[in-house]
Amino acid sequence: MSGNTATCVPVKELSESHGCYSRLQELRKFYVKEFDEEPRFYVRVPGRVNIIGEHVDYCGYPVLPMAIEQSILLAVGYTRANNFLYLRNIDVNFDNYKCDLKSFRIDIPEKGGPEWYKYFLCGVKGIFENINEQDQGCIAMTVALSGNIPHGSGLSSSSALVSSATLATSFAYKASLDRKTLASISASCERYIGTQGGGMDQAIAFLAEAGCAQFIEFYPELKTSSIQLPENACFVVANSLAEINKAASSDFNERVVECRLSCRIIAKRMDFKNWKNMLRFAELQSSLNCHLNELETMASKILTKDIYSREDVLNELEISEDEFENDCLTPNTRKMSLFKLRQRALHVIQESLRVQIFRSTCESTMTWGKIDTLSKLMQQSHGSLKNLYECSHPDLDRLIDISEEAGVGARLTGAGWGGCIVALCDSVQSSNKYIELLKLKYYSKLSKVQQSNLENVIFATFPQNGAEILMAGSNDIPSKI
Ligand code: GLA
């Protein structure tokens, strides 16, 4: 696999004007203290906020995220000493880790969620699977990490970590992989952690561009287009502080399973011979050659029950319990007995329609009312995530209610079940007012929050560039990887 330079991750010299310079300096010092040598290069991978298109990527439908300022930074060194990986986290709450790169395993604990370094190992494994064995050679990697993407907040801290590992490993091993390939590898290898994510987080991590959001398509293949947001649009991210760890519960995978089942049932009823392989609505829609509205009507007509039991699903699909467990469920959803197929399918289809309207509104020449239209779409998106997809949280809903009362369109962002909302304001001034309002009506009521330290909890955000490699001073600088 070789990279086309136009589509490769940029490799730059680290300069004092870099937005993360002081964090990188702090990380450098930490690295030198831990490993007694200078790092060879740094990696920056941003978190993201998804503006609209939630829980549709794993159904093959487009999403509209942008990269945020918060990121994972790595300082990396490598030598031909042995095959070991040495990992350090600048945050003392995370243990040191060491393993043999030739023989590590990623075992997922049944409870509590995976340890932090397992996300890193996913990235290493992803690259090893995609380069020749002789290229894997014998390299010891020393890595120090600094992250300021709030954990469990729906801003993609886990995927940024996996993607940073993919990028660092590919660079250390001189694998020339373009950004799309790195995004796809990162999306697939993150599934070793047990969640069946759709690829949005890794795609925006590598393909983001400063100043615009990205319209990311997954079907028939990964494709991004820059979307110019209205000039006066100002997005605010507010963390409900209800933490989520999607790898520690089965909620996320349950939704994926329900979507896949809905898709298979419709495909079977529509007499597709390959219905067993139809796992994504985008593929089904393309085979049906119909519009999203028609697919919506079809889903309502075919998926009539409010709740499907296991038996209902087995009868619909005419398969055995064994086949069902092996082909339709994941290890952490094996015990599922009730399925809300209609509600999940309708959310996915209607949300995808909203993404289309959001995009065309951004691209339209209308001179007034854009922000209103976009805000309404965001409000509808939240309503659907709360009621049809059931992935909100009472604290998130409270933030949304306060926003709505103030006339600000907002929605949960990321997987949900806690984490952040994203809100759309029509100017920097009104975003400041809105931030003050949330501080007063939401954050001042929370005893667990230090009121003076809210800048990473509620903030206005502007679209940033995607992942990059920064060369530490004296090293030779290859132009691209
Ligand atoms: C997580 C997943 C993404 C996407 C979102 C929900 O962030 O990693 O792939 O499914 O949830 O939109």
Side-chain angles (χ1 to χ4, degrees):
M1 224 177 289
S2 74
N4 166 352
T5 49
T7 59
C8 287
V9 171
V11 181
K12 302 175 190 156
E13 192 168 359
L14 174 59
S15 80
E16 283 182 33
S17 62
H18 193 282
C20 297
Y21 191 73
S22 58
R23 274 181 69 210
L24 285 163
Q25 284 309 305
E26 192 194 357
L27 183 60
R28 177 186 154 266
K29 269 194 209 145
F30 174 69
Y31 180 97
V32 171
K33 180 170 82 50
E34 292 295 315
F35 299 119
D36 202 20
E37 61 173 24
E38 289 286 334
R40 292 237 204 164
F41 66 92
Y42 301 95
V43 161
R44 181 190 64 86
V45 177
R48 61 99 189 94
V49 57
N50 188 21
I51 300 173
I52 197 157
E54 217 63 83
H55 286 284
V56 299
D57 60 347
Y58 47 80
C59 297
Y61 284 124
V63 293
L64 221 151
M66 66 191 202
I68 57 174
E69 290 85 351
Q70 288 82 345
S71 60
I72 296 283
L73 299 176
L74 303 180
V76 188
Y78 54 93
T79 69
R80 295 208 165 267
N82 55 39
N83 261 312
F84 277 77
L85 166 70
Y86 302 86
L87 268 182
R88 302 281 188 274
N89 197 316
I90 204 163
D91 182 338
V92 291
N93 293 309
F94 296 98
D95 292 340
N96 293 345
Y97 179 72
K98 172 186 165 191
C99 73
D100 187 337
L101 284 171
K102 288 278 176 228
S103 58
F104 67 87
R105 290 164 54 101
I106 306 174
D107 297 320
I108 305 304
E110 284 202 1
K111 287 214 168 75
E115 297 85 345
W116 73 281
Y117 56 81
K118 295 214 171 127
Y119 292 89
F120 195 94
L121 294 179
C122 285
V124 176
K125 188 167 157 82
I127 292 300
F128 282 6
E129 285 169 348
N130 282 276
I131 58 178
N132 297 328
E133 202 152 314
Q134 67 265 30
D135 293 339
Q136 290 179 21
C138 168
I139 287 187
M141 272 173 57
T142 40
V143 181
L145 181 149
S146 155
N148 65 357
I149 310 170
H151 304 291
S153 67
L155 300 179
S156 189
S157 57
S158 320
S159 301
L161 173 50
V162 173
S163 303
S164 71
T166 315
L167 182 55
T169 311
S170 73
F171 195 65
Y173 281 81
K174 302 198 170 21
S176 177
L177 302 173
D178 62 44
R179 292 188 293 164
K180 271 192 192 172
T181 307
L182 285 164
S184 302
I185 293 175
S186 304
S188 318
C189 70
E190 189 168 330
R191 300 198 185 110
Y192 289 123
I193 224 70
T195 44
Q196 299 289 316
M200 158 170 71
D201 309 343
Q202 302 80 1
I204 191 69
F206 285 103
L207 298 158
E209 274 175 38
C212 34
Q214 294 294 319
F215 180 77
I216 306 180
E217 292 165 85
F218 301 95
Y219 183 83
E221 57 183 16
L222 182 60
K223 189 177 154 199
T224 53
S225 330
S226 299
I227 301 292
Q228 205 58 55
L229 298 162
E231 239 171 56
N232 55 335
C234 181
F235 289 93
V236 172
V237 172
N239 193 340
S240 69
L241 298 171
E243 265 199 41
I244 42 152
N245 179 344
K246 67 178 188 293
S249 88
S250 56
D251 294 330
F252 187 89
N253 282 358
E254 286 179 13
R255 296 298 178 274
V256 177
V257 162
E258 287 171 315
C259 287
R260 290 178 180 165
L261 287 174
S262 315
C263 195
R264 279 169 157 148
I265 290 178
I266 300 175
K268 185 160 186 299
R269 290 271 199 108
M270 298 309 288
D271 285 333
F272 282 109
K273 297 259 166 319
N274 62 340
W275 66 267
K276 283 190 182 172
N277 302 325
M278 283 263 189
L279 301 182
R280 296 189 296 169
F281 282 108
E283 198 182 335
L284 172 66
Q285 190 197 342
S286 148
S287 306
L288 287 163
N289 195 16
C290 70
H291 189 263
L292 272 171
N293 286 318
E294 295 168 280
L295 185 60
E296 183 185 2
T297 311
M298 205 176 280
S300 312
K301 276 196 186 141
I302 294 176
L303 304 168
T304 49
K305 285 179 175 260
D306 273 346
I307 296 185
Y308 285 75
S309 65
R310 231 176 215 245
E311 208 187 337
D312 293 332
V313 177
L314 296 183
N315 288 340
E316 273 288 346
L317 295 178
E318 298 178 289
I319 55 175
S320 68
E321 183 92 31
D322 272 358
E323 197 176 353
F324 182 61
E325 289 209 354
N326 294 332
D327 296 349
C328 303
L329 301 177
T330 65
N332 68 349
T333 56
R334 200 130 285 167
K335 295 208 169 74
M336 271 179 93
S337 57
L338 300 174
F339 306 85
K340 295 197 179 173
L341 303 184
R342 184 162 51 86
Q343 297 88 325
R344 311 312 185 212
L346 289 180
H347 164 76
V348 170
I349 299 167
Q350 293 165 358
E351 179 77 351
S352 302
L353 277 162
R354 283 188 283 273
V355 175
Q356 283 186 359
I357 305 172
F358 198 100
R359 179 186 181 169
S360 55
T361 306
C362 287
E363 290 174 341
S364 80
T365 52
M366 64 201 261
T367 46
W368 61 273
K370 262 193 190 185
I371 299 275
D372 280 353
T373 308
L374 302 179
S375 301
K376 285 212 179 75
L377 291 166
M378 289 171 70
Q379 278 167 343
Q380 288 165 3
S381 168
H382 186 80
S384 177
L385 290 160
K386 178 182 169 188
N387 300 317
L388 292 178
Y389 224 66
E390 295 176 287
C391 66
S392 190
H393 182 284
D395 294 355
L396 279 174
D397 294 337
R398 224 147 40 82
L399 279 170
I400 299 291
D401 290 345
I402 300 170
S403 309
E404 278 187 16
E405 277 163 30
V408 175
R411 53 181 290 282
L412 75 79
T413 187
W417 292 284
C420 289
I421 63 160
V422 56
L424 174 55
C425 295
D426 61 6
S427 66
V428 173
Q429 241 175 352
S430 53
S431 76
N432 288 336
K433 261 178 129 177
Y434 171 67
I435 289 175
E436 289 313 312
L437 179 84
L438 289 191
K439 282 185 181 167
L440 183 74
K441 295 206 163 172
Y442 185 81
Y443 294 104
S444 68
K445 313 250 159 36
L446 302 181
S447 52
K448 60 180 172 182
V449 191
Q450 243 191 316
Q451 302 300 325
S452 57
N453 199 8
L454 289 176
E455 63 276 8
N456 219 15
V457 174
I458 175 164
F459 52 89
T461 191
F462 304 92
Q464 305 294 310
N465 275 321
E468 61 187 345
I469 302 263
L470 298 157
M471 298 307 296
S474 56
N475 294 306
D476 294 340
I477 305 168
S479 62
K480 299 270 183 188
I481 61 162

